[in-house]
Amino acid sequence: MSKASKIRRYRRKNYASEVEFPVEIIGRDGVVRRFSFEESVRLYQRRVASADLRYGDRELIAAEKQHCLSRIGQLRRSFFASHGWPELQVVDQDSGPTHLLAAEVAAFLRRCLVTVSIDPERFSISLLEVTSEHQVYFIQPPNDELLDDALVDGHFLLYVFRFDTQSGCPNRDAFFELIKVLDGVSFAARVSVESLISFFHTHDCGLVLTGFGSLVQQARDVDLAQVEGLSWGGDEADLDLVMLGMQAISRGNFSRALAHFVEAYTQQNFRRVAYLGAAVMADMLGSDDEAVTATVMGSRYFPDDPALEYHGAVTKLRQGQYALAVKQARGIHGWPQGRGAIGLVVALGLLADRQDLAGRSKISEVMKQSFLLDPHLERGARFVRSQLWARDLMLFSAVLIGLGALGAAWKFSFWWGLGIPAAIWAYPAVIRSWHRQLLERLHGQVEQRIRLSSSAILLSDQPGLRLQ
């Protein structure tokens, strides 16, 4: 698609309508997926963060960022309209139309206060303090839900930090510093000391909820099944996100694993295994945008890393950029264990780019390699080779039919010659049909794709372990 067409498509987008959650979002592969409010906002924020890496044209970068910011605003307005309440509008007073953090606060409080009250809309909220780094809000349950010691044990404090997304942000540092201080508070003194209940942060804001006395433990005792996969709240905040991703993989919950890996590299930019985990899970789920973001960002922090380069080549295959995929795969060096995987990507790229002789030769070379930890890669190579044999058989049959028809027309009757144009038509038709099926296996429906990712690479985050 040309640059002008892409920009016109951005301009035709509608951001005024109200959406329902979970919201359905169409990926580049044409597959419709459902996202929660938090997941959808973070999806577009990651697209904003990676736009400079994914596009080389300034106008396209600006158009992509503006589109994503408009979508974020639409999502937040829609969520607040359905799940917010009027008192929370105080959060956005004097902040301008670009933040719309009341929706984030509504979602945050509904999760954190579920054990205190099933109806958080009855809580009162008022601005308590404004500093250069954050705003503090006083949150108190309705009178009939207050405990005996209401002055100490009956309220919460909400800290709202607004982050500058264009440059370094002191507010972000202050946010994490506050969490460290509050997390060190001993629960032995919780009756009279402000203690951390939960925290949440995203690209443009950070939220911290604190409380006093027994309400702290009560609010922290949220059923983990209700907040599984989130980076805030209770004991799960102490678990390593990569380990949570591994656990999700072992349970077959690949969508949850992808969310954990993405959150892991968002929080820790130099966590190599998190980028690899996100790339692997995204490719298995057919989430091509997530795979591109993980490989591009990972390669910036770990340049020339063979595994990330390999998955980058895979994402280019999925996007139909066959020549670029072949070039990137051929540029991977110092990875003897991955020669088979690299060769398979090169062969598929050549065949998809209609370089049949070179692709066939590469497939034959790949079949001599060993795939100890990833037998599905060998199965993929065998499938492509068998399809090549089937195509050759059909092409040979078309040639035989044409020659037979020619001989029969010469010896018996002119009418036998009608088989000649049929054979001439069948020959390119077989090639087109085979090529179309190959492309379906590369970037069609997820269930039909050749699996090119490797879960074996996630057994360790040590750079020495590579894809087999």
PDB file of all heavy atoms in Angstrom, residues 37-38 41-42 45 76 104-105 107-108 111-112 159 161 163 175 179 196 198-209 230-233 263:
ATOM      1  N   PHE A  37     -10.194  -3.555  28.430  1.00  0.00           N
ATOM      2  CA  PHE A  37      -9.875  -2.122  28.379  1.00  0.00           C
ATOM      3  C   PHE A  37      -8.379  -1.895  28.541  1.00  0.00           C
ATOM      4  O   PHE A  37      -7.752  -1.195  27.740  1.00  0.00           O
ATOM      5  CB  PHE A  37     -10.655  -1.393  29.470  1.00  0.00           C
ATOM      6  CG  PHE A  37     -10.178   0.020  29.713  1.00  0.00           C
ATOM      7  CD1 PHE A  37     -10.318   0.995  28.734  1.00  0.00           C
ATOM      8  CD2 PHE A  37      -9.570   0.369  30.906  1.00  0.00           C
ATOM      9  CE1 PHE A  37      -9.866   2.301  28.951  1.00  0.00           C
ATOM     10  CE2 PHE A  37      -9.128   1.658  31.136  1.00  0.00           C
ATOM     11  CZ  PHE A  37      -9.278   2.625  30.147  1.00  0.00           C
ATOM     12  N   GLU A  38      -7.788  -2.509  29.581  1.00  0.00           N
ATOM     13  CA  GLU A  38      -6.367  -2.301  29.836  1.00  0.00           C
ATOM     14  C   GLU A  38      -5.516  -2.829  28.687  1.00  0.00           C
ATOM     15  O   GLU A  38      -4.553  -2.186  28.256  1.00  0.00           O
ATOM     16  CB  GLU A  38      -5.954  -2.984  31.139  1.00  0.00           C
ATOM     17  CG  GLU A  38      -6.594  -2.398  32.385  1.00  0.00           C
ATOM     18  CD  GLU A  38      -7.949  -3.019  32.680  1.00  0.00           C
ATOM     19  OE1 GLU A  38      -8.476  -3.754  31.807  1.00  0.00           O
ATOM     20  OE2 GLU A  38      -8.488  -2.785  33.768  1.00  0.00           O
ATOM     21  N   VAL A  41      -5.751  -0.471  25.536  1.00  0.00           N
ATOM     22  CA  VAL A  41      -5.004   0.782  25.700  1.00  0.00           C
ATOM     23  C   VAL A  41      -3.509   0.523  25.565  1.00  0.00           C
ATOM     24  O   VAL A  41      -2.784   1.250  24.872  1.00  0.00           O
ATOM     25  CB  VAL A  41      -5.327   1.442  27.053  1.00  0.00           C
ATOM     26  CG1 VAL A  41      -4.363   2.593  27.337  1.00  0.00           C
ATOM     27  CG2 VAL A  41      -6.761   1.952  27.066  1.00  0.00           C
ATOM     28  N   ARG A  42      -3.027  -0.530  26.207  1.00  0.00           N
ATOM     29  CA  ARG A  42      -1.600  -0.827  26.138  1.00  0.00           C
ATOM     30  C   ARG A  42      -1.189  -1.245  24.730  1.00  0.00           C
ATOM     31  O   ARG A  42      -0.056  -0.980  24.309  1.00  0.00           O
ATOM     32  CB  ARG A  42      -1.244  -1.918  27.144  1.00  0.00           C
ATOM     33  CG  ARG A  42      -1.312  -1.401  28.581  1.00  0.00           C
ATOM     34  CD  ARG A  42      -0.511  -2.273  29.514  1.00  0.00           C
ATOM     35  NE  ARG A  42      -0.336  -1.603  30.803  1.00  0.00           N
ATOM     36  CZ  ARG A  42       0.525  -1.979  31.722  1.00  0.00           C
ATOM     37  NH1 ARG A  42       1.319  -2.998  31.489  1.00  0.00           N
ATOM     38  NH2 ARG A  42       0.632  -1.337  32.861  1.00  0.00           N
ATOM     39  N   GLN A  45      -0.672   1.959  22.954  1.00  0.00           N
ATOM     40  CA  GLN A  45       0.481   2.675  23.490  1.00  0.00           C
ATOM     41  C   GLN A  45       1.793   2.040  23.021  1.00  0.00           C
ATOM     42  O   GLN A  45       2.763   2.746  22.765  1.00  0.00           O
ATOM     43  CB  GLN A  45       0.402   2.709  25.014  1.00  0.00           C
ATOM     44  CG  GLN A  45      -0.672   3.654  25.534  1.00  0.00           C
ATOM     45  CD  GLN A  45      -0.738   3.697  27.045  1.00  0.00           C
ATOM     46  OE1 GLN A  45      -0.343   2.748  27.719  1.00  0.00           O
ATOM     47  NE2 GLN A  45      -1.253   4.785  27.590  1.00  0.00           N
ATOM     48  N   ARG A  76     -10.823   5.250  26.297  1.00  0.00           N
ATOM     49  CA  ARG A  76     -10.999   5.763  27.647  1.00  0.00           C
ATOM     50  C   ARG A  76     -12.353   6.448  27.811  1.00  0.00           C
ATOM     51  O   ARG A  76     -13.025   6.278  28.839  1.00  0.00           O
ATOM     52  CB  ARG A  76      -9.856   6.725  27.981  1.00  0.00           C
ATOM     53  CG  ARG A  76      -8.542   6.006  28.253  1.00  0.00           C
ATOM     54  CD  ARG A  76      -7.379   6.954  28.451  1.00  0.00           C
ATOM     55  NE  ARG A  76      -6.197   6.236  28.960  1.00  0.00           N
ATOM     56  CZ  ARG A  76      -4.996   6.765  29.065  1.00  0.00           C
ATOM     57  NH1 ARG A  76      -4.793   8.028  28.702  1.00  0.00           N
ATOM     58  NH2 ARG A  76      -3.986   6.053  29.538  1.00  0.00           N
ATOM     59  N   GLU A 104      -8.884   5.291  33.577  1.00  0.00           N
ATOM     60  CA  GLU A 104      -7.875   4.427  34.183  1.00  0.00           C
ATOM     61  C   GLU A 104      -8.106   4.299  35.690  1.00  0.00           C
ATOM     62  O   GLU A 104      -7.960   3.210  36.260  1.00  0.00           O
ATOM     63  CB  GLU A 104      -6.470   4.980  33.915  1.00  0.00           C
ATOM     64  CG  GLU A 104      -6.092   5.098  32.453  1.00  0.00           C
ATOM     65  CD  GLU A 104      -5.785   3.744  31.817  1.00  0.00           C
ATOM     66  OE1 GLU A 104      -5.796   2.726  32.548  1.00  0.00           O
ATOM     67  OE2 GLU A 104      -5.562   3.717  30.591  1.00  0.00           O
ATOM     68  N   VAL A 105      -8.471   5.402  36.324  1.00  0.00           N
ATOM     69  CA  VAL A 105      -8.742   5.376  37.762  1.00  0.00           C
ATOM     70  C   VAL A 105      -9.961   4.509  38.058  1.00  0.00           C
ATOM     71  O   VAL A 105      -9.967   3.729  39.019  1.00  0.00           O
ATOM     72  CB  VAL A 105      -8.935   6.811  38.290  1.00  0.00           C
ATOM     73  CG1 VAL A 105      -9.430   6.791  39.737  1.00  0.00           C
ATOM     74  CG2 VAL A 105      -7.631   7.597  38.195  1.00  0.00           C
ATOM     75  N   ALA A 107     -11.132   1.923  36.336  1.00  0.00           N
ATOM     76  CA  ALA A 107     -10.767   0.516  36.187  1.00  0.00           C
ATOM     77  C   ALA A 107      -9.892   0.055  37.355  1.00  0.00           C
ATOM     78  O   ALA A 107     -10.061  -1.055  37.878  1.00  0.00           O
ATOM     79  CB  ALA A 107     -10.044   0.305  34.855  1.00  0.00           C
ATOM     80  N   PHE A 108      -8.962   0.918  37.774  1.00  0.00           N
ATOM     81  CA  PHE A 108      -8.043   0.592  38.865  1.00  0.00           C
ATOM     82  C   PHE A 108      -8.793   0.391  40.178  1.00  0.00           C
ATOM     83  O   PHE A 108      -8.600  -0.602  40.890  1.00  0.00           O
ATOM     84  CB  PHE A 108      -7.023   1.726  38.976  1.00  0.00           C
ATOM     85  CG  PHE A 108      -6.006   1.556  40.065  1.00  0.00           C
ATOM     86  CD1 PHE A 108      -5.119   0.486  40.044  1.00  0.00           C
ATOM     87  CD2 PHE A 108      -5.910   2.470  41.104  1.00  0.00           C
ATOM     88  CE1 PHE A 108      -4.157   0.328  41.041  1.00  0.00           C
ATOM     89  CE2 PHE A 108      -4.963   2.330  42.104  1.00  0.00           C
ATOM     90  CZ  PHE A 108      -4.083   1.254  42.070  1.00  0.00           C
ATOM     91  N   ARG A 111     -10.926  -2.809  40.435  1.00  0.00           N
ATOM     92  CA  ARG A 111     -10.150  -4.017  40.703  1.00  0.00           C
ATOM     93  C   ARG A 111      -9.673  -4.056  42.151  1.00  0.00           C
ATOM     94  O   ARG A 111      -9.746  -5.098  42.811  1.00  0.00           O
ATOM     95  CB  ARG A 111      -8.935  -4.089  39.775  1.00  0.00           C
ATOM     96  CG  ARG A 111      -9.271  -4.335  38.324  1.00  0.00           C
ATOM     97  CD  ARG A 111      -8.012  -4.661  37.537  1.00  0.00           C
ATOM     98  NE  ARG A 111      -7.025  -3.608  37.585  1.00  0.00           N
ATOM     99  CZ  ARG A 111      -7.003  -2.561  36.776  1.00  0.00           C
ATOM    100  NH1 ARG A 111      -7.935  -2.424  35.856  1.00  0.00           N
ATOM    101  NH2 ARG A 111      -6.063  -1.646  36.876  1.00  0.00           N
ATOM    102  N   CYS A 112      -9.182  -2.917  42.647  1.00  0.00           N
ATOM    103  CA  CYS A 112      -8.543  -2.904  43.962  1.00  0.00           C
ATOM    104  C   CYS A 112      -9.546  -2.986  45.114  1.00  0.00           C
ATOM    105  O   CYS A 112      -9.227  -3.537  46.169  1.00  0.00           O
ATOM    106  CB  CYS A 112      -7.711  -1.633  44.125  1.00  0.00           C
ATOM    107  SG  CYS A 112      -6.365  -1.493  42.952  1.00  0.00           S
ATOM    108  N   TYR A 159      -2.852   8.138  44.728  1.00  0.00           N
ATOM    109  CA  TYR A 159      -1.819   9.006  44.148  1.00  0.00           C
ATOM    110  C   TYR A 159      -1.893   8.856  42.619  1.00  0.00           C
ATOM    111  O   TYR A 159      -1.831   7.737  42.095  1.00  0.00           O
ATOM    112  CB  TYR A 159      -0.433   8.597  44.630  1.00  0.00           C
ATOM    113  CG  TYR A 159      -0.199   8.801  46.112  1.00  0.00           C
ATOM    114  CD1 TYR A 159      -0.696   7.892  47.044  1.00  0.00           C
ATOM    115  CD2 TYR A 159       0.531   9.901  46.577  1.00  0.00           C
ATOM    116  CE1 TYR A 159      -0.477   8.060  48.396  1.00  0.00           C
ATOM    117  CE2 TYR A 159       0.763  10.072  47.929  1.00  0.00           C
ATOM    118  CZ  TYR A 159       0.250   9.160  48.843  1.00  0.00           C
ATOM    119  OH  TYR A 159       0.465   9.338  50.186  1.00  0.00           O
ATOM    120  N   PHE A 161      -0.060   9.964  39.156  1.00  0.00           N
ATOM    121  CA  PHE A 161       1.131  10.533  38.519  1.00  0.00           C
ATOM    122  C   PHE A 161       0.871  10.637  37.019  1.00  0.00           C
ATOM    123  O   PHE A 161       0.403   9.670  36.394  1.00  0.00           O
ATOM    124  CB  PHE A 161       2.351   9.632  38.742  1.00  0.00           C
ATOM    125  CG  PHE A 161       2.825   9.569  40.163  1.00  0.00           C
ATOM    126  CD1 PHE A 161       2.153   8.778  41.093  1.00  0.00           C
ATOM    127  CD2 PHE A 161       3.952  10.271  40.569  1.00  0.00           C
ATOM    128  CE1 PHE A 161       2.601   8.692  42.399  1.00  0.00           C
ATOM    129  CE2 PHE A 161       4.407  10.185  41.883  1.00  0.00           C
ATOM    130  CZ  PHE A 161       3.725   9.397  42.801  1.00  0.00           C
ATOM    131  N   PHE A 163       2.695  11.085  33.412  1.00  0.00           N
ATOM    132  CA  PHE A 163       4.025  10.934  32.835  1.00  0.00           C
ATOM    133  C   PHE A 163       4.132  11.683  31.518  1.00  0.00           C
ATOM    134  O   PHE A 163       3.184  11.690  30.713  1.00  0.00           O
ATOM    135  CB  PHE A 163       4.345   9.455  32.583  1.00  0.00           C
ATOM    136  CG  PHE A 163       4.320   8.595  33.820  1.00  0.00           C
ATOM    137  CD1 PHE A 163       4.024   7.242  33.725  1.00  0.00           C
ATOM    138  CD2 PHE A 163       4.593   9.134  35.072  1.00  0.00           C
ATOM    139  CE1 PHE A 163       4.009   6.444  34.849  1.00  0.00           C
ATOM    140  CE2 PHE A 163       4.574   8.351  36.211  1.00  0.00           C
ATOM    141  CZ  PHE A 163       4.276   6.993  36.103  1.00  0.00           C
ATOM    142  N   PHE A 175       7.280   8.079  40.998  1.00  0.00           N
ATOM    143  CA  PHE A 175       6.279   7.025  41.132  1.00  0.00           C
ATOM    144  C   PHE A 175       6.903   5.744  41.691  1.00  0.00           C
ATOM    145  O   PHE A 175       6.425   5.162  42.672  1.00  0.00           O
ATOM    146  CB  PHE A 175       5.639   6.769  39.769  1.00  0.00           C
ATOM    147  CG  PHE A 175       4.795   5.530  39.684  1.00  0.00           C
ATOM    148  CD1 PHE A 175       3.519   5.492  40.220  1.00  0.00           C
ATOM    149  CD2 PHE A 175       5.277   4.390  39.044  1.00  0.00           C
ATOM    150  CE1 PHE A 175       2.734   4.351  40.143  1.00  0.00           C
ATOM    151  CE2 PHE A 175       4.505   3.249  38.948  1.00  0.00           C
ATOM    152  CZ  PHE A 175       3.232   3.222  39.493  1.00  0.00           C
ATOM    153  N   ILE A 179       6.624   3.770  45.516  1.00  0.00           N
ATOM    154  CA  ILE A 179       6.293   2.347  45.678  1.00  0.00           C
ATOM    155  C   ILE A 179       7.319   1.659  46.565  1.00  0.00           C
ATOM    156  O   ILE A 179       6.974   0.861  47.442  1.00  0.00           O
ATOM    157  CB  ILE A 179       6.207   1.660  44.304  1.00  0.00           C
ATOM    158  CG1 ILE A 179       5.015   2.205  43.517  1.00  0.00           C
ATOM    159  CG2 ILE A 179       6.089   0.147  44.462  1.00  0.00           C
ATOM    160  CD1 ILE A 179       4.952   1.714  42.103  1.00  0.00           C
ATOM    161  N   LEU A 196       0.947   0.356  51.413  1.00  0.00           N
ATOM    162  CA  LEU A 196       0.641   0.129  50.008  1.00  0.00           C
ATOM    163  C   LEU A 196      -0.396  -0.980  49.843  1.00  0.00           C
ATOM    164  O   LEU A 196      -0.278  -2.048  50.436  1.00  0.00           O
ATOM    165  CB  LEU A 196       1.925  -0.248  49.258  1.00  0.00           C
ATOM    166  CG  LEU A 196       1.774  -0.624  47.777  1.00  0.00           C
ATOM    167  CD1 LEU A 196       1.346   0.585  46.955  1.00  0.00           C
ATOM    168  CD2 LEU A 196       3.094  -1.189  47.238  1.00  0.00           C
ATOM    169  N   SER A 198      -2.034  -1.326  46.338  1.00  0.00           N
ATOM    170  CA  SER A 198      -1.870  -1.743  44.948  1.00  0.00           C
ATOM    171  C   SER A 198      -1.307  -0.577  44.133  1.00  0.00           C
ATOM    172  O   SER A 198      -1.386   0.580  44.548  1.00  0.00           O
ATOM    173  CB  SER A 198      -3.217  -2.191  44.360  1.00  0.00           C
ATOM    174  OG  SER A 198      -3.058  -2.689  43.057  1.00  0.00           O
ATOM    175  N   PHE A 199      -0.717  -0.921  42.984  1.00  0.00           N
ATOM    176  CA  PHE A 199      -0.220   0.116  42.085  1.00  0.00           C
ATOM    177  C   PHE A 199      -0.390  -0.351  40.644  1.00  0.00           C
ATOM    178  O   PHE A 199      -0.532  -1.546  40.366  1.00  0.00           O
ATOM    179  CB  PHE A 199       1.249   0.464  42.369  1.00  0.00           C
ATOM    180  CG  PHE A 199       2.214  -0.650  42.045  1.00  0.00           C
ATOM    181  CD1 PHE A 199       2.800  -0.736  40.784  1.00  0.00           C
ATOM    182  CD2 PHE A 199       2.545  -1.599  42.986  1.00  0.00           C
ATOM    183  CE1 PHE A 199       3.694  -1.752  40.482  1.00  0.00           C
ATOM    184  CE2 PHE A 199       3.432  -2.621  42.693  1.00  0.00           C
ATOM    185  CZ  PHE A 199       4.005  -2.702  41.439  1.00  0.00           C
ATOM    186  N   PHE A 200      -0.367   0.586  39.749  1.00  0.00           N
ATOM    187  CA  PHE A 200      -0.541   0.308  38.325  1.00  0.00           C
ATOM    188  C   PHE A 200       0.127   1.438  37.546  1.00  0.00           C
ATOM    189  O   PHE A 200       0.080   2.595  37.958  1.00  0.00           O
ATOM    190  CB  PHE A 200      -2.034   0.241  37.978  1.00  0.00           C
ATOM    191  CG  PHE A 200      -2.333   0.286  36.502  1.00  0.00           C
ATOM    192  CD1 PHE A 200      -2.089  -0.808  35.699  1.00  0.00           C
ATOM    193  CD2 PHE A 200      -2.851   1.437  35.917  1.00  0.00           C
ATOM    194  CE1 PHE A 200      -2.365  -0.773  34.333  1.00  0.00           C
ATOM    195  CE2 PHE A 200      -3.129   1.485  34.565  1.00  0.00           C
ATOM    196  CZ  PHE A 200      -2.881   0.375  33.768  1.00  0.00           C
ATOM    197  N   HIS A 201       0.766   1.097  36.444  1.00  0.00           N
ATOM    198  CA  HIS A 201       1.330   2.160  35.605  1.00  0.00           C
ATOM    199  C   HIS A 201       1.207   1.768  34.146  1.00  0.00           C
ATOM    200  O   HIS A 201       1.191   0.588  33.783  1.00  0.00           O
ATOM    201  CB  HIS A 201       2.797   2.431  35.967  1.00  0.00           C
ATOM    202  CG  HIS A 201       3.717   1.294  35.633  1.00  0.00           C
ATOM    203  ND1 HIS A 201       4.416   1.208  34.456  1.00  0.00           N
ATOM    204  CD2 HIS A 201       4.062   0.188  36.339  1.00  0.00           C
ATOM    205  CE1 HIS A 201       5.153   0.111  34.443  1.00  0.00           C
ATOM    206  NE2 HIS A 201       4.952  -0.531  35.576  1.00  0.00           N
ATOM    207  N   THR A 202       1.093   2.766  33.331  1.00  0.00           N
ATOM    208  CA  THR A 202       1.050   2.588  31.891  1.00  0.00           C
ATOM    209  C   THR A 202       1.900   3.685  31.267  1.00  0.00           C
ATOM    210  O   THR A 202       2.653   4.358  31.962  1.00  0.00           O
ATOM    211  CB  THR A 202      -0.401   2.608  31.381  1.00  0.00           C
ATOM    212  OG1 THR A 202      -0.429   2.336  29.987  1.00  0.00           O
ATOM    213  CG2 THR A 202      -1.061   3.950  31.651  1.00  0.00           C
ATOM    214  N   HIS A 203       1.787   3.862  29.943  1.00  0.00           N
ATOM    215  CA  HIS A 203       2.700   4.750  29.235  1.00  0.00           C
ATOM    216  C   HIS A 203       2.617   6.193  29.709  1.00  0.00           C
ATOM    217  O   HIS A 203       3.623   6.899  29.751  1.00  0.00           O
ATOM    218  CB  HIS A 203       2.391   4.683  27.738  1.00  0.00           C
ATOM    219  CG  HIS A 203       3.419   5.324  26.867  1.00  0.00           C
ATOM    220  ND1 HIS A 203       4.752   4.958  26.895  1.00  0.00           N
ATOM    221  CD2 HIS A 203       3.326   6.328  25.952  1.00  0.00           C
ATOM    222  CE1 HIS A 203       5.421   5.693  26.023  1.00  0.00           C
ATOM    223  NE2 HIS A 203       4.596   6.521  25.448  1.00  0.00           N
ATOM    224  N   ASP A 204       1.439   6.648  30.107  1.00  0.00           N
ATOM    225  CA  ASP A 204       1.269   8.072  30.426  1.00  0.00           C
ATOM    226  C   ASP A 204       0.783   8.340  31.839  1.00  0.00           C
ATOM    227  O   ASP A 204       0.480   9.479  32.176  1.00  0.00           O
ATOM    228  CB  ASP A 204       0.311   8.727  29.433  1.00  0.00           C
ATOM    229  CG  ASP A 204      -1.051   8.051  29.418  1.00  0.00           C
ATOM    230  OD1 ASP A 204      -1.203   7.000  30.068  1.00  0.00           O
ATOM    231  OD2 ASP A 204      -1.968   8.573  28.740  1.00  0.00           O
ATOM    232  N   CYS A 205       0.703   7.311  32.680  1.00  0.00           N
ATOM    233  CA  CYS A 205       0.248   7.566  34.040  1.00  0.00           C
ATOM    234  C   CYS A 205       0.692   6.454  34.986  1.00  0.00           C
ATOM    235  O   CYS A 205       1.030   5.346  34.558  1.00  0.00           O
ATOM    236  CB  CYS A 205      -1.281   7.705  34.098  1.00  0.00           C
ATOM    237  SG  CYS A 205      -2.175   6.149  33.871  1.00  0.00           S
ATOM    238  N   GLY A 206       0.690   6.784  36.280  1.00  0.00           N
ATOM    239  CA  GLY A 206       0.945   5.810  37.321  1.00  0.00           C
ATOM    240  C   GLY A 206      -0.038   6.044  38.452  1.00  0.00           C
ATOM    241  O   GLY A 206      -0.312   7.188  38.815  1.00  0.00           O
ATOM    242  N   LEU A 207      -0.599   4.973  39.005  1.00  0.00           N
ATOM    243  CA  LEU A 207      -1.600   5.067  40.062  1.00  0.00           C
ATOM    244  C   LEU A 207      -1.136   4.238  41.249  1.00  0.00           C
ATOM    245  O   LEU A 207      -0.676   3.105  41.086  1.00  0.00           O
ATOM    246  CB  LEU A 207      -2.960   4.555  39.577  1.00  0.00           C
ATOM    247  CG  LEU A 207      -3.516   5.179  38.288  1.00  0.00           C
ATOM    248  CD1 LEU A 207      -4.794   4.486  37.870  1.00  0.00           C
ATOM    249  CD2 LEU A 207      -3.744   6.672  38.467  1.00  0.00           C
ATOM    250  N   VAL A 208      -1.273   4.806  42.443  1.00  0.00           N
ATOM    251  CA  VAL A 208      -0.903   4.110  43.671  1.00  0.00           C
ATOM    252  C   VAL A 208      -2.051   4.255  44.655  1.00  0.00           C
ATOM    253  O   VAL A 208      -2.525   5.371  44.900  1.00  0.00           O
ATOM    254  CB  VAL A 208       0.392   4.690  44.293  1.00  0.00           C
ATOM    255  CG1 VAL A 208       0.731   3.955  45.591  1.00  0.00           C
ATOM    256  CG2 VAL A 208       1.549   4.608  43.314  1.00  0.00           C
ATOM    257  N   LEU A 209      -2.502   3.137  45.224  1.00  0.00           N
ATOM    258  CA  LEU A 209      -3.569   3.153  46.219  1.00  0.00           C
ATOM    259  C   LEU A 209      -2.997   2.700  47.555  1.00  0.00           C
ATOM    260  O   LEU A 209      -2.354   1.652  47.645  1.00  0.00           O
ATOM    261  CB  LEU A 209      -4.714   2.228  45.804  1.00  0.00           C
ATOM    262  CG  LEU A 209      -5.940   2.249  46.731  1.00  0.00           C
ATOM    263  CD1 LEU A 209      -6.632   3.609  46.650  1.00  0.00           C
ATOM    264  CD2 LEU A 209      -6.909   1.123  46.370  1.00  0.00           C
ATOM    265  N   LEU A 230      -2.295  -9.535  35.723  1.00  0.00           N
ATOM    266  CA  LEU A 230      -2.081  -8.103  35.840  1.00  0.00           C
ATOM    267  C   LEU A 230      -0.793  -7.852  36.599  1.00  0.00           C
ATOM    268  O   LEU A 230      -0.334  -8.672  37.386  1.00  0.00           O
ATOM    269  CB  LEU A 230      -3.267  -7.456  36.563  1.00  0.00           C
ATOM    270  CG  LEU A 230      -4.630  -7.740  35.916  1.00  0.00           C
ATOM    271  CD1 LEU A 230      -5.728  -7.062  36.704  1.00  0.00           C
ATOM    272  CD2 LEU A 230      -4.652  -7.266  34.476  1.00  0.00           C
ATOM    273  N   SER A 231      -0.193  -6.702  36.391  1.00  0.00           N
ATOM    274  CA  SER A 231       1.111  -6.415  36.985  1.00  0.00           C
ATOM    275  C   SER A 231       0.989  -5.698  38.317  1.00  0.00           C
ATOM    276  O   SER A 231       1.975  -5.235  38.849  1.00  0.00           O
ATOM    277  CB  SER A 231       1.922  -5.544  36.028  1.00  0.00           C
ATOM    278  OG  SER A 231       1.274  -4.305  35.831  1.00  0.00           O
ATOM    279  N   TRP A 232      -0.213  -5.578  38.836  1.00  0.00           N
ATOM    280  CA  TRP A 232      -0.386  -4.899  40.102  1.00  0.00           C
ATOM    281  C   TRP A 232      -1.063  -5.847  41.075  1.00  0.00           C
ATOM    282  O   TRP A 232      -1.568  -6.901  40.702  1.00  0.00           O
ATOM    283  CB  TRP A 232      -1.270  -3.654  39.922  1.00  0.00           C
ATOM    284  CG  TRP A 232      -2.563  -3.972  39.285  1.00  0.00           C
ATOM    285  CD1 TRP A 232      -3.693  -4.469  39.874  1.00  0.00           C
ATOM    286  CD2 TRP A 232      -2.862  -3.866  37.897  1.00  0.00           C
ATOM    287  NE1 TRP A 232      -4.666  -4.667  38.948  1.00  0.00           N
ATOM    288  CE2 TRP A 232      -4.191  -4.304  37.730  1.00  0.00           C
ATOM    289  CE3 TRP A 232      -2.139  -3.436  36.786  1.00  0.00           C
ATOM    290  CZ2 TRP A 232      -4.810  -4.312  36.483  1.00  0.00           C
ATOM    291  CZ3 TRP A 232      -2.761  -3.462  35.563  1.00  0.00           C
ATOM    292  CH2 TRP A 232      -4.077  -3.890  35.415  1.00  0.00           C
ATOM    293  N   GLY A 233      -1.113  -5.436  42.315  1.00  0.00           N
ATOM    294  CA  GLY A 233      -1.971  -6.080  43.279  1.00  0.00           C
ATOM    295  C   GLY A 233      -1.332  -7.205  44.049  1.00  0.00           C
ATOM    296  O   GLY A 233      -0.765  -8.128  43.497  1.00  0.00           O
ATOM    297  N   GLU A 263       4.584  -7.328  29.328  1.00  0.00           N
ATOM    298  CA  GLU A 263       4.710  -6.519  30.532  1.00  0.00           C
ATOM    299  C   GLU A 263       6.136  -6.579  31.083  1.00  0.00           C
ATOM    300  O   GLU A 263       6.670  -5.579  31.576  1.00  0.00           O
ATOM    301  CB  GLU A 263       3.727  -7.013  31.595  1.00  0.00           C
ATOM    302  CG  GLU A 263       3.740  -6.228  32.891  1.00  0.00           C
ATOM    303  CD  GLU A 263       3.264  -4.793  32.707  1.00  0.00           C
ATOM    304  OE1 GLU A 263       2.568  -4.516  31.717  1.00  0.00           O
ATOM    305  OE2 GLU A 263       3.604  -3.959  33.563  1.00  0.00           O
TER     306      GLU A 263
END
